[in-house]
Amino acid sequence: MDMRAVDTPYLQLTGIRKTFGSGDRQVVALGRVELTVAEGEFLAIVGPSGCGKSTLLQIAAGLALPSEGTVRFRGAPVTAPPEGIVYLFQQYGKSLLPWRTVADNVAFAIEHRPGMTRAAARETSRRYLAMVGLAEFADRYPWQLSGGMQQRVTIARALAAEPRVLLLDEPFSSVDALTRLELHQLVLELWDKHRFTAVLVTHDVDEAVYLADRIAVLSARPSEVVQVLDTELPRPRDPLATRELPRFLSLRHAILQRLLGRA
Ligand SMILES: Nc1ncnc2c1ncn2[C@@H]1O[C@H](COP(=O)(O)OP(=O)(O)OP(=O)(O)O)[C@@H](O)[C@H]1O
Ligand SMILES: [Mg+2]
């Protein structure tokens, strides 16, 4: 057995600092963030608005560089988006290509791969659309779909790339409450099936507790990880029963206290 593989943290953020601008206009978004993500886990990151959650996730994805500190994915320094890490953006509306059909939007994630034919990309695209319940909408355009459906397209597109790590930046914040619950179930089902590593950024404490194994709580700017909790809630999770468990309520309470500065 390769011992190095066992000892090396899967995704590791060390001493991450990020500043924007300079002089008196300088903003220190991330103070000094330390965070390790284990392979296959579902980690949620919560923090107040503007604390640097999206910035942190972009740095983890190799889409932005930290001012200081390092990101390592399976031991290797991340300086550009690594193969295997897929980032799901906060605003689905902006991330779908309006001139491509739904199926072609999903195919976009895989069609550039060496040896991938157009027919094979379309086949894969349709399979993932079926998984998110959108088989019938493959030939429509994104703007012909509701917000929740468009978000399901972006989830299908992210999964079609067969990521090892899926980074989700508030992917449920712009849909209505019921659609959000449905998308939660969908993501949990897909995560259970494919066992990618999931890192979800959200300001919704309920959502974090409901979905995750572990929750990292960020402070306000310049943000740091102020607390990491194991949810220890049983799976599969149920949208009603799980939320009524005493453990759910006490986690929610503890995190909200922390975010409200009462801890
Ligand atoms: N490209 C940029 N240039 C300058 N400042 C930036 C840039 N990106 C982010 N910031 C600043 O960094 C801080 C963190 O922004 P970020 O978007 O990461 O926060 P967030 O926690 O994701 O916020 P929200 O909860 O509203 O999504 C904010 O003060 C923001 O103004
Ligand atoms: Mg954000």
mmCIF file with all atom_site columns, all heavy atoms in Angstrom, residues 11 14 32 43 57-60 64-65 82 99 104 143 217 222 243:
data_model
loop_
_atom_site.group_PDB
_atom_site.id
_atom_site.type_symbol
_atom_site.label_atom_id
_atom_site.label_alt_id
_atom_site.label_comp_id
_atom_site.label_asym_id
_atom_site.label_entity_id
_atom_site.label_seq_id
_atom_site.pdbx_PDB_ins_code
_atom_site.Cartn_x
_atom_site.Cartn_y
_atom_site.Cartn_z
_atom_site.occupancy
_atom_site.B_iso_or_equiv
_atom_site.pdbx_formal_charge
_atom_site.auth_seq_id
_atom_site.auth_comp_id
_atom_site.auth_asym_id
_atom_site.auth_atom_id
_atom_site.pdbx_PDB_model_num
ATOM 1   N N   . LEU A 1 11  ? -7.773  17.223 0.360   1.00 0.00 ? 11  LEU A N   1
ATOM 2   C CA  . LEU A 1 11  ? -7.745  18.620 -0.091  1.00 0.00 ? 11  LEU A CA  1
ATOM 3   C C   . LEU A 1 11  ? -7.379  19.451 1.137   1.00 0.00 ? 11  LEU A C   1
ATOM 4   O O   . LEU A 1 11  ? -8.051  19.372 2.159   1.00 0.00 ? 11  LEU A O   1
ATOM 5   C CB  . LEU A 1 11  ? -9.119  19.014 -0.647  1.00 0.00 ? 11  LEU A CB  1
ATOM 6   C CG  . LEU A 1 11  ? -9.279  20.441 -1.162  1.00 0.00 ? 11  LEU A CG  1
ATOM 7   C CD1 . LEU A 1 11  ? -8.353  20.719 -2.346  1.00 0.00 ? 11  LEU A CD1 1
ATOM 8   C CD2 . LEU A 1 11  ? -10.729 20.687 -1.594  1.00 0.00 ? 11  LEU A CD2 1
ATOM 9   N N   . THR A 1 14  ? -3.914  25.657 3.552   1.00 0.00 ? 14  THR A N   1
ATOM 10  C CA  . THR A 1 14  ? -3.018  26.012 4.650   1.00 0.00 ? 14  THR A CA  1
ATOM 11  C C   . THR A 1 14  ? -2.684  27.503 4.631   1.00 0.00 ? 14  THR A C   1
ATOM 12  O O   . THR A 1 14  ? -2.183  28.009 3.630   1.00 0.00 ? 14  THR A O   1
ATOM 13  C CB  . THR A 1 14  ? -1.685  25.221 4.519   1.00 0.00 ? 14  THR A CB  1
ATOM 14  O OG1 . THR A 1 14  ? -1.994  23.856 4.230   1.00 0.00 ? 14  THR A OG1 1
ATOM 15  C CG2 . THR A 1 14  ? -0.882  25.292 5.801   1.00 0.00 ? 14  THR A CG2 1
ATOM 16  N N   . ARG A 1 32  ? -6.735  34.118 7.761   1.00 0.00 ? 32  ARG A N   1
ATOM 17  C CA  . ARG A 1 32  ? -5.808  32.998 7.738   1.00 0.00 ? 32  ARG A CA  1
ATOM 18  C C   . ARG A 1 32  ? -6.641  31.724 7.884   1.00 0.00 ? 32  ARG A C   1
ATOM 19  O O   . ARG A 1 32  ? -6.996  31.329 8.997   1.00 0.00 ? 32  ARG A O   1
ATOM 20  C CB  . ARG A 1 32  ? -4.805  33.121 8.883   1.00 0.00 ? 32  ARG A CB  1
ATOM 21  C CG  . ARG A 1 32  ? -3.646  32.185 8.718   1.00 0.00 ? 32  ARG A CG  1
ATOM 22  C CD  . ARG A 1 32  ? -2.666  32.285 9.876   1.00 0.00 ? 32  ARG A CD  1
ATOM 23  N NE  . ARG A 1 32  ? -1.776  31.150 9.798   1.00 0.00 ? 32  ARG A NE  1
ATOM 24  C CZ  . ARG A 1 32  ? -0.725  31.091 8.981   1.00 0.00 ? 32  ARG A CZ  1
ATOM 25  N NH1 . ARG A 1 32  ? -0.419  32.091 8.217   1.00 0.00 ? 32  ARG A NH1 1
ATOM 26  N NH2 . ARG A 1 32  ? 0.019   30.001 8.965   1.00 0.00 ? 32  ARG A NH2 1
ATOM 27  N N   . LEU A 1 43  ? -18.652 18.361 3.217   1.00 0.00 ? 43  LEU A N   1
ATOM 28  C CA  . LEU A 1 43  ? -18.300 19.457 4.114   1.00 0.00 ? 43  LEU A CA  1
ATOM 29  C C   . LEU A 1 43  ? -19.096 20.700 3.735   1.00 0.00 ? 43  LEU A C   1
ATOM 30  O O   . LEU A 1 43  ? -19.216 21.035 2.562   1.00 0.00 ? 43  LEU A O   1
ATOM 31  C CB  . LEU A 1 43  ? -16.802 19.770 4.000   1.00 0.00 ? 43  LEU A CB  1
ATOM 32  C CG  . LEU A 1 43  ? -16.325 21.014 4.773   1.00 0.00 ? 43  LEU A CG  1
ATOM 33  C CD1 . LEU A 1 43  ? -16.153 20.703 6.256   1.00 0.00 ? 43  LEU A CD1 1
ATOM 34  C CD2 . LEU A 1 43  ? -15.024 21.561 4.203   1.00 0.00 ? 43  LEU A CD2 1
ATOM 35  N N   . LEU A 1 57  ? -13.727 29.346 -1.874  1.00 0.00 ? 57  LEU A N   1
ATOM 36  C CA  . LEU A 1 57  ? -14.035 28.210 -2.739  1.00 0.00 ? 57  LEU A CA  1
ATOM 37  C C   . LEU A 1 57  ? -13.315 28.335 -4.088  1.00 0.00 ? 57  LEU A C   1
ATOM 38  O O   . LEU A 1 57  ? -12.827 27.347 -4.637  1.00 0.00 ? 57  LEU A O   1
ATOM 39  C CB  . LEU A 1 57  ? -15.553 28.134 -2.945  1.00 0.00 ? 57  LEU A CB  1
ATOM 40  C CG  . LEU A 1 57  ? -16.130 26.743 -3.179  1.00 0.00 ? 57  LEU A CG  1
ATOM 41  C CD1 . LEU A 1 57  ? -15.828 25.818 -2.015  1.00 0.00 ? 57  LEU A CD1 1
ATOM 42  C CD2 . LEU A 1 57  ? -17.624 26.810 -3.434  1.00 0.00 ? 57  LEU A CD2 1
ATOM 43  N N   . GLN A 1 58  ? -13.242 29.566 -4.599  1.00 0.00 ? 58  GLN A N   1
ATOM 44  C CA  . GLN A 1 58  ? -12.523 29.780 -5.863  1.00 0.00 ? 58  GLN A CA  1
ATOM 45  C C   . GLN A 1 58  ? -11.043 29.473 -5.705  1.00 0.00 ? 58  GLN A C   1
ATOM 46  O O   . GLN A 1 58  ? -10.409 28.931 -6.618  1.00 0.00 ? 58  GLN A O   1
ATOM 47  C CB  . GLN A 1 58  ? -12.716 31.224 -6.345  1.00 0.00 ? 58  GLN A CB  1
ATOM 48  C CG  . GLN A 1 58  ? -14.080 31.417 -7.004  1.00 0.00 ? 58  GLN A CG  1
ATOM 49  C CD  . GLN A 1 58  ? -14.517 32.865 -7.048  1.00 0.00 ? 58  GLN A CD  1
ATOM 50  O OE1 . GLN A 1 58  ? -13.699 33.770 -6.964  1.00 0.00 ? 58  GLN A OE1 1
ATOM 51  N NE2 . GLN A 1 58  ? -15.815 33.086 -7.160  1.00 0.00 ? 58  GLN A NE2 1
ATOM 52  N N   . ILE A 1 59  ? -10.505 29.796 -4.548  1.00 0.00 ? 59  ILE A N   1
ATOM 53  C CA  . ILE A 1 59  ? -9.093  29.478 -4.291  1.00 0.00 ? 59  ILE A CA  1
ATOM 54  C C   . ILE A 1 59  ? -8.914  27.959 -4.205  1.00 0.00 ? 59  ILE A C   1
ATOM 55  O O   . ILE A 1 59  ? -7.978  27.400 -4.786  1.00 0.00 ? 59  ILE A O   1
ATOM 56  C CB  . ILE A 1 59  ? -8.604  30.197 -3.006  1.00 0.00 ? 59  ILE A CB  1
ATOM 57  C CG1 . ILE A 1 59  ? -8.503  31.704 -3.282  1.00 0.00 ? 59  ILE A CG1 1
ATOM 58  C CG2 . ILE A 1 59  ? -7.274  29.629 -2.526  1.00 0.00 ? 59  ILE A CG2 1
ATOM 59  C CD1 . ILE A 1 59  ? -8.234  32.549 -2.049  1.00 0.00 ? 59  ILE A CD1 1
ATOM 60  N N   . ALA A 1 60  ? -9.858  27.289 -3.529  1.00 0.00 ? 60  ALA A N   1
ATOM 61  C CA  . ALA A 1 60  ? -9.780  25.824 -3.421  1.00 0.00 ? 60  ALA A CA  1
ATOM 62  C C   . ALA A 1 60  ? -9.852  25.178 -4.802  1.00 0.00 ? 60  ALA A C   1
ATOM 63  O O   . ALA A 1 60  ? -9.235  24.142 -5.051  1.00 0.00 ? 60  ALA A O   1
ATOM 64  C CB  . ALA A 1 60  ? -10.910 25.298 -2.529  1.00 0.00 ? 60  ALA A CB  1
ATOM 65  N N   . ALA A 1 64  ? -8.735  31.050 -8.417  1.00 0.00 ? 64  ALA A N   1
ATOM 66  C CA  . ALA A 1 64  ? -8.120  32.295 -7.945  1.00 0.00 ? 64  ALA A CA  1
ATOM 67  C C   . ALA A 1 64  ? -6.921  31.907 -7.090  1.00 0.00 ? 64  ALA A C   1
ATOM 68  O O   . ALA A 1 64  ? -6.889  30.801 -6.533  1.00 0.00 ? 64  ALA A O   1
ATOM 69  C CB  . ALA A 1 64  ? -9.126  33.094 -7.114  1.00 0.00 ? 64  ALA A CB  1
ATOM 70  N N   . LEU A 1 65  ? -5.967  32.790 -7.017  1.00 0.00 ? 65  LEU A N   1
ATOM 71  C CA  . LEU A 1 65  ? -4.783  32.481 -6.216  1.00 0.00 ? 65  LEU A CA  1
ATOM 72  C C   . LEU A 1 65  ? -4.862  33.200 -4.878  1.00 0.00 ? 65  LEU A C   1
ATOM 73  O O   . LEU A 1 65  ? -5.323  34.341 -4.821  1.00 0.00 ? 65  LEU A O   1
ATOM 74  C CB  . LEU A 1 65  ? -3.514  32.920 -6.957  1.00 0.00 ? 65  LEU A CB  1
ATOM 75  C CG  . LEU A 1 65  ? -3.142  32.080 -8.174  1.00 0.00 ? 65  LEU A CG  1
ATOM 76  C CD1 . LEU A 1 65  ? -1.954  32.696 -8.901  1.00 0.00 ? 65  LEU A CD1 1
ATOM 77  C CD2 . LEU A 1 65  ? -2.833  30.638 -7.758  1.00 0.00 ? 65  LEU A CD2 1
ATOM 78  N N   . PRO A 1 82  ? -7.401  22.078 -11.141 1.00 0.00 ? 82  PRO A N   1
ATOM 79  C CA  . PRO A 1 82  ? -6.930  20.719 -11.371 1.00 0.00 ? 82  PRO A CA  1
ATOM 80  C C   . PRO A 1 82  ? -8.009  19.848 -11.999 1.00 0.00 ? 82  PRO A C   1
ATOM 81  O O   . PRO A 1 82  ? -9.202  20.089 -11.799 1.00 0.00 ? 82  PRO A O   1
ATOM 82  C CB  . PRO A 1 82  ? -6.591  20.202 -9.972  1.00 0.00 ? 82  PRO A CB  1
ATOM 83  C CG  . PRO A 1 82  ? -7.127  21.179 -9.012  1.00 0.00 ? 82  PRO A CG  1
ATOM 84  C CD  . PRO A 1 82  ? -7.754  22.312 -9.733  1.00 0.00 ? 82  PRO A CD  1
ATOM 85  N N   . TRP A 1 99  ? -27.404 29.977 -26.029 1.00 0.00 ? 99  TRP A N   1
ATOM 86  C CA  . TRP A 1 99  ? -27.528 29.561 -27.431 1.00 0.00 ? 99  TRP A CA  1
ATOM 87  C C   . TRP A 1 99  ? -27.390 28.063 -27.605 1.00 0.00 ? 99  TRP A C   1
ATOM 88  O O   . TRP A 1 99  ? -27.494 27.537 -28.700 1.00 0.00 ? 99  TRP A O   1
ATOM 89  C CB  . TRP A 1 99  ? -26.495 30.289 -28.299 1.00 0.00 ? 99  TRP A CB  1
ATOM 90  C CG  . TRP A 1 99  ? -25.076 30.028 -27.875 1.00 0.00 ? 99  TRP A CG  1
ATOM 91  C CD1 . TRP A 1 99  ? -24.276 29.012 -28.296 1.00 0.00 ? 99  TRP A CD1 1
ATOM 92  C CD2 . TRP A 1 99  ? -24.301 30.785 -26.950 1.00 0.00 ? 99  TRP A CD2 1
ATOM 93  N NE1 . TRP A 1 99  ? -23.050 29.084 -27.677 1.00 0.00 ? 99  TRP A NE1 1
ATOM 94  C CE2 . TRP A 1 99  ? -23.043 30.173 -26.846 1.00 0.00 ? 99  TRP A CE2 1
ATOM 95  C CE3 . TRP A 1 99  ? -24.564 31.939 -26.173 1.00 0.00 ? 99  TRP A CE3 1
ATOM 96  C CZ2 . TRP A 1 99  ? -22.027 30.659 -26.019 1.00 0.00 ? 99  TRP A CZ2 1
ATOM 97  C CZ3 . TRP A 1 99  ? -23.559 32.416 -25.342 1.00 0.00 ? 99  TRP A CZ3 1
ATOM 98  C CH2 . TRP A 1 99  ? -22.311 31.788 -25.273 1.00 0.00 ? 99  TRP A CH2 1
ATOM 99  N N   . ASP A 1 104 ? -26.902 20.174 -24.914 1.00 0.00 ? 104 ASP A N   1
ATOM 100 C CA  . ASP A 1 104 ? -25.591 20.656 -25.352 1.00 0.00 ? 104 ASP A CA  1
ATOM 101 C C   . ASP A 1 104 ? -24.864 21.439 -24.263 1.00 0.00 ? 104 ASP A C   1
ATOM 102 O O   . ASP A 1 104 ? -23.639 21.493 -24.242 1.00 0.00 ? 104 ASP A O   1
ATOM 103 C CB  . ASP A 1 104 ? -25.720 21.497 -26.626 1.00 0.00 ? 104 ASP A CB  1
ATOM 104 C CG  . ASP A 1 104 ? -25.999 20.616 -27.846 1.00 0.00 ? 104 ASP A CG  1
ATOM 105 O OD1 . ASP A 1 104 ? -25.784 19.391 -27.746 1.00 0.00 ? 104 ASP A OD1 1
ATOM 106 O OD2 . ASP A 1 104 ? -26.447 21.155 -28.878 1.00 0.00 ? 104 ASP A OD2 1
ATOM 107 N N   . TRP A 1 143 ? -33.390 29.127 -21.171 1.00 0.00 ? 143 TRP A N   1
ATOM 108 C CA  . TRP A 1 143 ? -34.363 30.167 -20.826 1.00 0.00 ? 143 TRP A CA  1
ATOM 109 C C   . TRP A 1 143 ? -35.802 29.694 -20.944 1.00 0.00 ? 143 TRP A C   1
ATOM 110 O O   . TRP A 1 143 ? -36.730 30.399 -20.568 1.00 0.00 ? 143 TRP A O   1
ATOM 111 C CB  . TRP A 1 143 ? -34.106 31.432 -21.656 1.00 0.00 ? 143 TRP A CB  1
ATOM 112 C CG  . TRP A 1 143 ? -33.749 31.167 -23.101 1.00 0.00 ? 143 TRP A CG  1
ATOM 113 C CD1 . TRP A 1 143 ? -32.482 31.002 -23.596 1.00 0.00 ? 143 TRP A CD1 1
ATOM 114 C CD2 . TRP A 1 143 ? -34.635 30.993 -24.206 1.00 0.00 ? 143 TRP A CD2 1
ATOM 115 N NE1 . TRP A 1 143 ? -32.529 30.751 -24.941 1.00 0.00 ? 143 TRP A NE1 1
ATOM 116 C CE2 . TRP A 1 143 ? -33.841 30.739 -25.356 1.00 0.00 ? 143 TRP A CE2 1
ATOM 117 C CE3 . TRP A 1 143 ? -36.035 31.032 -24.352 1.00 0.00 ? 143 TRP A CE3 1
ATOM 118 C CZ2 . TRP A 1 143 ? -34.391 30.519 -26.618 1.00 0.00 ? 143 TRP A CZ2 1
ATOM 119 C CZ3 . TRP A 1 143 ? -36.568 30.817 -25.616 1.00 0.00 ? 143 TRP A CZ3 1
ATOM 120 C CH2 . TRP A 1 143 ? -35.752 30.568 -26.724 1.00 0.00 ? 143 TRP A CH2 1
ATOM 121 N N   . VAL A 1 217 ? -17.239 26.810 10.312  1.00 0.00 ? 217 VAL A N   1
ATOM 122 C CA  . VAL A 1 217 ? -17.869 28.116 10.507  1.00 0.00 ? 217 VAL A CA  1
ATOM 123 C C   . VAL A 1 217 ? -16.805 29.202 10.329  1.00 0.00 ? 217 VAL A C   1
ATOM 124 O O   . VAL A 1 217 ? -15.763 29.170 10.983  1.00 0.00 ? 217 VAL A O   1
ATOM 125 C CB  . VAL A 1 217 ? -18.505 28.233 11.915  1.00 0.00 ? 217 VAL A CB  1
ATOM 126 C CG1 . VAL A 1 217 ? -19.234 29.567 12.074  1.00 0.00 ? 217 VAL A CG1 1
ATOM 127 C CG2 . VAL A 1 217 ? -19.457 27.071 12.178  1.00 0.00 ? 217 VAL A CG2 1
ATOM 128 N N   . PRO A 1 222 ? -11.705 40.042 8.566   1.00 0.00 ? 222 PRO A N   1
ATOM 129 C CA  . PRO A 1 222 ? -10.967 39.050 7.771   1.00 0.00 ? 222 PRO A CA  1
ATOM 130 C C   . PRO A 1 222 ? -11.237 37.659 8.313   1.00 0.00 ? 222 PRO A C   1
ATOM 131 O O   . PRO A 1 222 ? -10.992 37.392 9.493   1.00 0.00 ? 222 PRO A O   1
ATOM 132 C CB  . PRO A 1 222 ? -9.499  39.448 7.974   1.00 0.00 ? 222 PRO A CB  1
ATOM 133 C CG  . PRO A 1 222 ? -9.481  40.227 9.246   1.00 0.00 ? 222 PRO A CG  1
ATOM 134 C CD  . PRO A 1 222 ? -10.816 40.860 9.416   1.00 0.00 ? 222 PRO A CD  1
ATOM 135 N N   . ARG A 1 243 ? -34.793 17.251 10.394  1.00 0.00 ? 243 ARG A N   1
ATOM 136 C CA  . ARG A 1 243 ? -34.835 18.608 10.943  1.00 0.00 ? 243 ARG A CA  1
ATOM 137 C C   . ARG A 1 243 ? -35.490 18.677 12.316  1.00 0.00 ? 243 ARG A C   1
ATOM 138 O O   . ARG A 1 243 ? -35.423 19.701 12.987  1.00 0.00 ? 243 ARG A O   1
ATOM 139 C CB  . ARG A 1 243 ? -35.567 19.544 9.977   1.00 0.00 ? 243 ARG A CB  1
ATOM 140 C CG  . ARG A 1 243 ? -34.716 19.958 8.791   1.00 0.00 ? 243 ARG A CG  1
ATOM 141 C CD  . ARG A 1 243 ? -35.483 20.919 7.892   1.00 0.00 ? 243 ARG A CD  1
ATOM 142 N NE  . ARG A 1 243 ? -34.622 21.561 6.907   1.00 0.00 ? 243 ARG A NE  1
ATOM 143 C CZ  . ARG A 1 243 ? -34.215 20.988 5.780   1.00 0.00 ? 243 ARG A CZ  1
ATOM 144 N NH1 . ARG A 1 243 ? -34.575 19.760 5.500   1.00 0.00 ? 243 ARG A NH1 1
ATOM 145 N NH2 . ARG A 1 243 ? -33.428 21.639 4.943   1.00 0.00 ? 243 ARG A NH2 1
#
